[in-house]
Every structure is written in structure tokens, then in C-alpha cells.
Amino acid sequence: LFSCDGSQSVNTHALTYPSTRTLSMSCKVCNATPATPCGGCSAVSYCGKECQKTHWKEHKAKCKAYKIVTSAEEHGRNIVAARDIKAGETLMVTRPFCVGPRMHKPALCCLGCHRAADKLMSCDKCGLPVCSVKCAGSNTHQMECTLITNSKDKNNVTDLKLGIMVVTPLRIIGLKFTKPELYATAMSMEPNLEVLKERELWKYLDTHVIQPVLGLQIEGITLDIVERCVGIILTNCFEVMAKGCLLFGMYFEPALMNHHCVGNSRLMLDSSNLMTVIACQPIKKGKPAKWNYGRALDTTWTRQVNLLENKYFTCQCERCLDPTELGSNISSLKCRE
């Protein structure tokens, strides 16, 4: 095979992805047959190195070291290696499709620059907090501001009071009208509503997030859509920092990576919320890429409690099932005798 570079448990989602069995085996450049799949991603095929080199400039951005597959063993869609990956190799680099305040007890911040502050002004149009006129008109703030302003004008509402808890759901809902394909991808993620609606937190979210969003009477937005949106955020979000403020960041592909208490991958975030996923162990082609949703040095009891509370499942990996935690004895008590 040629190498192009030359050298959470989630349930099944709505979107489907092609398997290598359905790919055409004709050359991407000249349509000649037979052709060999790209050694990096297997998504396209080439009759030889010359055609591959010709197409590399176009294919480089699309050639991924991973692919999205559906597996009953992994409880639905998940990320697997598209080729053998070495330890230290970058698996993916991606930016969030949405960043916004937490929905429960969010830190007060400007909705234009996300700077944490105790004293902020109100946006003249929507009434939500911003730190300046410039931030009130920023692209970051326009999604929720437009939805709220249009709702006020259309429904002749003057006393609408909304907290920043509604902002992140509104930013995802806004994609329905601005980027429908991205909205469809976001809404295909697992919401875990059956579990979430049994939690005490859901009552708070219904009062402070779901009902206020419904009160905006946004065209085409139903109770089911708002509830699903809230569930998707809680189930799939990552915590990101922006200017001293803890926020939710939504990343599609990383959210499809399942959990393992040892993990073969590590996630890194820079100050611009760019996420880089790096293999910390060799990953064979076709094997799942997994990472530890918690902290590696937490005991089994602590990990299990946090996973059940925040990710809604109980881990059954070999580390959790081994009383010695794979010989690390992190959960063991040292005898003083």
C-alpha cells in the first residue's frame, strides 16, 4: 500500500459513513484499474505513485489517520485507526464547532470575547452580558443575539429575561439557519436523554435553559429539539478555558472516541481551543482510538463515580476489573505493620 505522506461509550448516531468495501477501486486521477487504496486513509485509490503524487496536493487535507465506523462491540460509532499509527503520531487536529458558557452555574463572562469579569454591560439588542460595544457586535456573539432579537421583534416581547445558560444551546440551534450540514452533524450526536431526565439536574435545566429557549418561539424549534440539544451538550462537551473562564467546547470527532482507563491516545488543547489528539501507544489499523475521560492517577472508585455521574456509564476495562489496577496498586492501601 502507498502512504500518502511519503514517508465516551456512545450509541449509534443518525449519520452513516462509507466502509472500504463500498469504495471504487479505480484510480482517483486516471480511472485506471486495478488501483490500490491510499495507505493513509483508504478513502481513495491510485494506480501508481505518479497518480498519487499528482493528487496529493488536493488529497493532503482530507487524508486522515482515522475513520469513523459503527461497531456493536463499541456501542455505536467510534474512531478507529485507518492505518498503523506509531506512538507520538498525531491522530487528528480539530477546532470546536461551538464554544459557549456552561448551562449549570456558568461563570459570568463576556459573550463576545469570553473574558471572565464581575462587571459587564448589557448588549443593546439582546440584553446579554458583553464587555464592550465591539464585543456586542462580534461574530462570536451574533448567533444568540440574532435569535433573541428576531424573537423580540417578531413576537413583540419587551420583558424577555434570559441568563447566559441559554447561550450554548442557542449557538447550536443557530447552525440550523446558518450551517445546516454542521447542524445535522451536531444533532446526530448522542443525547442520553433517558438517563439525563432521571437526574436532579434536569429540573434545573428545564427551568433555566429549555423553557426560556422555547419561550423565544424560534421557527421550527420544538421541545424535542431543545431537549436533544441540551442532552448532546452534556454528553459530548469538553471543558475549555478562554481568558480565565471555563466554557463548554463541542468537538465532533473527538467526542466519538470511547473511554479506556489507560487509553492509547492523549488530548491536548491550546489557548485558541485547537484540539490535537496524539497516539501515546502504537495503534494497529482497525483498532479503536481511546482516551481516559478522567485522571490517570485517580483510584478505581473515584473514576467509576465520576464516569457514572458525568458520562453516564460504568467502565468495565481491564484496569477497572483488576484489583491491582494492572499492577499499579493505585487503589491499594499500604499496611503500616
Side-chain angles (χ1 to χ4, degrees):
L1 298 181
F2 306 123
S3 175
C4 272
D5 57 10
S7 32
Q8 49 274 127
S9 295
V10 291
N11 296 327
T12 305
H13 299 279
L15 296 182
T16 57
Y17 295 81
S19 67
T20 55
R21 289 177 296 180
T22 63
L23 293 175
S24 170
M25 295 304 291
S26 61
C27 177
K28 179 69 176 178
V29 178
C30 67
N31 292 323
T33 55
T36 306
C38 166
C41 64
S42 299
V44 294
S45 300
Y46 302 102
C47 62
K49 289 187 177 180
E50 289 303 316
C51 281
Q52 186 180 23
K53 288 180 180 178
T54 300
H55 191 241
W56 176 238
K57 185 176 181 180
E58 178 183 342
H59 180 56
K60 182 178 180 180
K62 301 177 182 178
C63 186
K64 299 177 180 179
Y66 67 92
K67 57 184 177 181
I68 301 172
V69 300
T70 300
S71 166
E73 182 181 353
E74 295 295 331
H75 308 286
R77 289 189 297 175
N78 63 106
I79 300 293
V80 301
R83 53 180 169 79
D84 288 348
I85 298 173
K86 300 177 182 179
E89 189 175 344
T90 298
L91 192 62
M92 67 178 77
V93 179
T94 182
R95 291 192 179 278
F97 63 82
C98 177
V99 174
R102 297 162 63 92
M103 295 184 293
H104 181 238
K105 298 181 179 179
L108 184 61
C109 67
C110 169
L111 296 177
C113 65
H114 292 146
R115 178 175 62 87
D118 294 328
K119 295 182 179 180
L120 296 167
M121 59 181 284
S122 296
C123 173
D124 289 339
K125 295 180 178 180
C126 68
L128 291 174
V130 290
C131 66
S132 65
V133 174
K134 180 180 179 181
C135 278
S138 68
N139 290 333
T140 303
H141 176 53
Q142 289 313 294
M143 192 75 82
E144 64 273 11
C145 188
T146 300
L147 290 173
I148 294 171
T149 303
N150 288 347
S151 176
K152 285 183 176 181
D153 294 341
K154 181 179 179 181
N155 301 309
N156 195 27
V157 178
T158 57
D159 59 346
L160 188 63
K161 294 182 179 179
L162 299 169
I164 63 173
M165 298 81 76
V166 304
V167 170
T168 303
L170 285 178
R171 287 180 177 178
I172 293 180
I173 289 170
L175 295 174
K176 177 180 175 68
F177 308 102
T178 58
K179 299 179 180 179
E181 291 186 3
L182 183 55
Y183 172 77
T185 299
M187 295 302 284
S188 77
M189 301 172 81
E190 174 59 40
N192 273 316
L193 288 178
E194 289 186 7
V195 176
L196 285 170
K197 287 184 177 181
E198 297 297 322
R199 302 292 179 95
E200 191 68 24
L201 175 63
W202 192 257
K203 296 178 181 178
Y204 173 92
L205 294 173
D206 184 65
T207 300
H208 297 279
V209 180
I210 297 170
Q211 295 305 321
V213 171
L214 283 175
L216 292 173
Q217 302 179 45
I218 303 170
E219 184 177 357
I221 301 304
T222 64
L223 174 62
D224 289 343
I225 290 176
V226 179
E227 287 185 339
R228 184 175 182 84
C229 189
V230 169
I232 285 170
I233 294 170
L234 288 177
T235 302
N236 300 280
C237 70
F238 292 81
E239 289 187 335
V240 300
M241 288 293 295
K243 299 183 179 181
C245 187
L246 189 62
L247 305 169
F248 279 165
M250 301 296 296
Y251 301 79
F252 178 62
E253 286 92 347
L256 294 180
M257 294 176 63
N258 284 339
H259 166 82
H260 192 283
C261 287
V262 177
N264 54 24
S265 306
R266 293 290 182 269
L267 276 59
M268 299 188 301
L269 278 169
D270 68 11
S271 58
S272 68
N273 296 327
L274 180 71
M275 180 179 287
T276 303
V277 181
I278 295 178
C280 57
Q281 298 178 14
I283 308 175
K284 289 290 185 181
K285 180 179 180 180
K287 293 296 182 181
K290 300 184 178 184
W291 66 288
N292 189 343
Y293 291 178
R295 296 177 294 189
L297 295 180
D298 279 344
T299 64
T300 296
W301 182 86
T302 302
R303 296 195 312 276
Q304 294 281 8
V305 169
N306 288 336
L307 287 171
L308 187 60
E309 177 66 24
N310 299 307
K311 293 298 181 182
Y312 322 115
F313 70 90
T314 300
C315 182
Q316 296 290 319
C317 72
E318 53 266 40
R319 178 181 172 185
C320 286
L321 297 177
D322 181 2
T324 72
E325 295 199 45
L326 304 180
S328 66
N329 290 303
I330 289 178
S331 297
S332 302
L333 297 176
K334 183 176 181 181
C335 180
R336 296 184 176 182
E337 296 298 328

mmCIF file of all heavy atoms in Angstrom, residues 59-80:
data_model
loop_
_atom_site.group_PDB
_atom_site.id
_atom_site.type_symbol
_atom_site.label_atom_id
_atom_site.label_comp_id
_atom_site.label_asym_id
_atom_site.label_seq_id
_atom_site.Cartn_x
_atom_site.Cartn_y
_atom_site.Cartn_z
ATOM 1 N N HIS A 59 -5.486 15.977 -2.025
ATOM 2 C CA HIS A 59 -5.910 14.951 -1.064
ATOM 3 C C HIS A 59 -5.316 15.134 0.325
ATOM 4 O O HIS A 59 -5.854 14.633 1.316
ATOM 5 C CB HIS A 59 -5.530 13.565 -1.601
ATOM 6 C CG HIS A 59 -5.921 12.424 -0.707
ATOM 7 N ND1 HIS A 59 -7.221 12.210 -0.287
ATOM 8 C CD2 HIS A 59 -5.172 11.435 -0.126
ATOM 9 C CE1 HIS A 59 -7.272 11.133 0.488
ATOM 10 N NE2 HIS A 59 -6.055 10.658 0.610
ATOM 11 N N LYS A 60 -4.230 15.888 0.425
ATOM 12 C CA LYS A 60 -3.494 16.011 1.686
ATOM 13 C C LYS A 60 -4.379 16.426 2.849
ATOM 14 O O LYS A 60 -4.313 15.863 3.939
ATOM 15 C CB LYS A 60 -2.348 17.013 1.523
ATOM 16 C CG LYS A 60 -1.487 17.177 2.767
ATOM 17 C CD LYS A 60 -0.343 18.151 2.500
ATOM 18 C CE LYS A 60 0.525 18.322 3.747
ATOM 19 N NZ LYS A 60 1.652 19.267 3.494
ATOM 20 N N ALA A 61 -5.244 17.410 2.614
ATOM 21 C CA ALA A 61 -6.098 17.923 3.704
ATOM 22 C C ALA A 61 -7.170 16.928 4.113
ATOM 23 O O ALA A 61 -7.704 17.000 5.224
ATOM 24 C CB ALA A 61 -6.745 19.240 3.281
ATOM 25 N N LYS A 62 -7.503 15.981 3.220
ATOM 26 C CA LYS A 62 -8.572 15.020 3.502
ATOM 27 C C LYS A 62 -8.050 13.675 3.979
ATOM 28 O O LYS A 62 -8.828 12.834 4.437
ATOM 29 C CB LYS A 62 -9.423 14.818 2.245
ATOM 30 C CG LYS A 62 -10.061 16.093 1.717
ATOM 31 C CD LYS A 62 -10.824 15.827 0.426
ATOM 32 C CE LYS A 62 -11.423 17.099 -0.127
ATOM 33 N NZ LYS A 62 -12.128 16.857 -1.408
ATOM 34 N N CYS A 63 -6.746 13.446 3.835
ATOM 35 C CA CYS A 63 -6.161 12.151 4.203
ATOM 36 C C CYS A 63 -6.028 12.075 5.717
ATOM 37 O O CYS A 63 -5.233 12.793 6.334
ATOM 38 C CB CYS A 63 -4.795 11.974 3.554
ATOM 39 S SG CYS A 63 -4.087 10.330 3.819
ATOM 40 N N LYS A 64 -6.810 11.240 6.335
ATOM 41 C CA LYS A 64 -6.849 11.155 7.788
ATOM 42 C C LYS A 64 -6.279 9.832 8.271
ATOM 43 O O LYS A 64 -6.397 8.803 7.603
ATOM 44 C CB LYS A 64 -8.287 11.303 8.285
ATOM 45 C CG LYS A 64 -8.930 12.636 7.908
ATOM 46 C CD LYS A 64 -10.377 12.698 8.360
ATOM 47 C CE LYS A 64 -11.010 14.029 7.984
ATOM 48 N NZ LYS A 64 -12.426 14.110 8.394
ATOM 49 N N ALA A 65 -5.688 9.874 9.453
ATOM 50 C CA ALA A 65 -5.137 8.663 10.050
ATOM 51 C C ALA A 65 -6.213 7.844 10.752
ATOM 52 O O ALA A 65 -5.924 6.787 11.303
ATOM 53 C CB ALA A 65 -4.033 9.033 11.044
ATOM 54 N N TYR A 66 -7.435 8.340 10.731
ATOM 55 C CA TYR A 66 -8.530 7.657 11.420
ATOM 56 C C TYR A 66 -9.760 7.614 10.523
ATOM 57 O O TYR A 66 -9.827 8.300 9.502
ATOM 58 C CB TYR A 66 -8.894 8.398 12.706
ATOM 59 C CG TYR A 66 -9.489 9.757 12.458
ATOM 60 C CD1 TYR A 66 -10.872 9.943 12.346
ATOM 61 C CD2 TYR A 66 -8.681 10.879 12.309
ATOM 62 C CE1 TYR A 66 -11.417 11.194 12.098
ATOM 63 C CE2 TYR A 66 -9.217 12.131 12.053
ATOM 64 C CZ TYR A 66 -10.582 12.279 11.952
ATOM 65 O OH TYR A 66 -11.118 13.517 11.693
ATOM 66 N N LYS A 67 -10.715 6.802 10.897
ATOM 67 C CA LYS A 67 -12.005 6.804 10.213
ATOM 68 C C LYS A 67 -13.099 6.519 11.230
ATOM 69 O O LYS A 67 -12.834 5.976 12.313
ATOM 70 C CB LYS A 67 -12.040 5.800 9.067
ATOM 71 C CG LYS A 67 -11.728 4.381 9.434
ATOM 72 C CD LYS A 67 -11.701 3.516 8.181
ATOM 73 C CE LYS A 67 -11.323 2.073 8.501
ATOM 74 N NZ LYS A 67 -11.273 1.234 7.269
ATOM 75 N N ILE A 68 -14.311 6.898 10.885
ATOM 76 C CA ILE A 68 -15.466 6.701 11.761
ATOM 77 C C ILE A 68 -16.195 5.440 11.306
ATOM 78 O O ILE A 68 -16.549 5.305 10.134
ATOM 79 C CB ILE A 68 -16.411 7.909 11.707
ATOM 80 C CG1 ILE A 68 -15.671 9.179 12.131
ATOM 81 C CG2 ILE A 68 -17.631 7.683 12.597
ATOM 82 C CD1 ILE A 68 -16.458 10.454 11.920
ATOM 83 N N VAL A 69 -16.369 4.511 12.227
ATOM 84 C CA VAL A 69 -17.047 3.252 11.918
ATOM 85 C C VAL A 69 -18.141 3.009 12.947
ATOM 86 O O VAL A 69 -18.188 3.662 13.989
ATOM 87 C CB VAL A 69 -16.059 2.060 11.912
ATOM 88 C CG1 VAL A 69 -14.966 2.257 10.877
ATOM 89 C CG2 VAL A 69 -15.450 1.857 13.308
ATOM 90 N N THR A 70 -19.012 2.074 12.645
ATOM 91 C CA THR A 70 -20.055 1.665 13.577
ATOM 92 C C THR A 70 -19.773 0.245 14.026
ATOM 93 O O THR A 70 -19.545 -0.638 13.204
ATOM 94 C CB THR A 70 -21.444 1.746 12.929
ATOM 95 O OG1 THR A 70 -21.693 3.097 12.534
ATOM 96 C CG2 THR A 70 -22.526 1.308 13.900
ATOM 97 N N SER A 71 -19.756 0.042 15.333
ATOM 98 C CA SER A 71 -19.422 -1.260 15.889
ATOM 99 C C SER A 71 -20.317 -1.554 17.083
ATOM 100 O O SER A 71 -20.430 -0.731 18.002
ATOM 101 C CB SER A 71 -17.949 -1.295 16.314
ATOM 102 O OG SER A 71 -17.662 -2.405 17.136
ATOM 103 N N ALA A 72 -20.946 -2.745 17.091
ATOM 104 C CA ALA A 72 -21.772 -3.142 18.232
ATOM 105 C C ALA A 72 -20.912 -3.316 19.472
ATOM 106 O O ALA A 72 -21.323 -2.995 20.590
ATOM 107 C CB ALA A 72 -22.514 -4.435 17.908
ATOM 108 N N GLU A 73 -19.705 -3.792 19.277
ATOM 109 C CA GLU A 73 -18.792 -4.008 20.411
ATOM 110 C C GLU A 73 -18.443 -2.704 21.100
ATOM 111 O O GLU A 73 -18.272 -2.656 22.314
ATOM 112 C CB GLU A 73 -17.518 -4.700 19.924
ATOM 113 C CG GLU A 73 -16.519 -5.017 21.026
ATOM 114 C CD GLU A 73 -15.265 -5.686 20.505
ATOM 115 O OE1 GLU A 73 -15.224 -6.022 19.303
ATOM 116 O OE2 GLU A 73 -14.327 -5.876 21.288
ATOM 117 N N GLU A 74 -18.347 -1.627 20.307
ATOM 118 C CA GLU A 74 -18.010 -0.309 20.858
ATOM 119 C C GLU A 74 -19.255 0.549 21.063
ATOM 120 O O GLU A 74 -19.155 1.759 21.230
ATOM 121 C CB GLU A 74 -17.014 0.399 19.932
ATOM 122 C CG GLU A 74 -15.662 -0.284 19.845
ATOM 123 C CD GLU A 74 -14.905 -0.273 21.169
ATOM 124 O OE1 GLU A 74 -15.122 0.667 21.961
ATOM 125 O OE2 GLU A 74 -14.108 -1.201 21.403
ATOM 126 N N HIS A 75 -20.432 -0.052 21.012
ATOM 127 C CA HIS A 75 -21.695 0.616 21.309
ATOM 128 C C HIS A 75 -22.047 1.729 20.336
ATOM 129 O O HIS A 75 -22.594 2.756 20.721
ATOM 130 C CB HIS A 75 -21.680 1.166 22.737
ATOM 131 C CG HIS A 75 -21.300 0.149 23.773
ATOM 132 N ND1 HIS A 75 -22.156 -0.851 24.178
ATOM 133 C CD2 HIS A 75 -20.136 -0.043 24.451
ATOM 134 C CE1 HIS A 75 -21.542 -1.612 25.073
ATOM 135 N NE2 HIS A 75 -20.329 -1.145 25.253
ATOM 136 N N GLY A 76 -21.727 1.541 19.066
ATOM 137 C CA GLY A 76 -22.123 2.518 18.059
ATOM 138 C C GLY A 76 -20.945 3.084 17.318
ATOM 139 O O GLY A 76 -19.938 2.418 17.079
ATOM 140 N N ARG A 77 -21.069 4.346 16.917
ATOM 141 C CA ARG A 77 -19.985 4.973 16.153
ATOM 142 C C ARG A 77 -18.772 5.214 17.043
ATOM 143 O O ARG A 77 -18.894 5.594 18.206
ATOM 144 C CB ARG A 77 -20.459 6.298 15.546
ATOM 145 C CG ARG A 77 -21.446 6.129 14.410
ATOM 146 C CD ARG A 77 -21.703 7.446 13.721
ATOM 147 N NE ARG A 77 -22.317 8.414 14.616
ATOM 148 C CZ ARG A 77 -22.548 9.680 14.277
ATOM 149 N NH1 ARG A 77 -22.194 10.112 13.095
ATOM 150 N NH2 ARG A 77 -23.140 10.501 15.131
ATOM 151 N N ASN A 78 -17.607 5.019 16.457
ATOM 152 C CA ASN A 78 -16.371 5.267 17.191
ATOM 153 C C ASN A 78 -15.237 5.512 16.206
ATOM 154 O O ASN A 78 -15.391 5.334 15.003
ATOM 155 C CB ASN A 78 -16.047 4.101 18.138
ATOM 156 C CG ASN A 78 -15.797 2.805 17.399
ATOM 157 O OD1 ASN A 78 -14.661 2.348 17.285
ATOM 158 N ND2 ASN A 78 -16.848 2.180 16.867
ATOM 159 N N ILE A 79 -14.105 5.935 16.735
ATOM 160 C CA ILE A 79 -12.928 6.251 15.925
ATOM 161 C C ILE A 79 -11.971 5.071 15.926
ATOM 162 O O ILE A 79 -11.606 4.551 16.992
ATOM 163 C CB ILE A 79 -12.206 7.496 16.469
ATOM 164 C CG1 ILE A 79 -13.134 8.718 16.465
ATOM 165 C CG2 ILE A 79 -10.935 7.776 15.679
ATOM 166 C CD1 ILE A 79 -13.519 9.212 15.098
ATOM 167 N N VAL A 80 -11.539 4.638 14.733
ATOM 168 C CA VAL A 80 -10.527 3.587 14.626
ATOM 169 C C VAL A 80 -9.384 4.090 13.754
ATOM 170 O O VAL A 80 -9.545 5.026 12.959
ATOM 171 C CB VAL A 80 -11.100 2.278 14.033
ATOM 172 C CG1 VAL A 80 -12.247 1.752 14.887
ATOM 173 C CG2 VAL A 80 -11.552 2.482 12.589
#
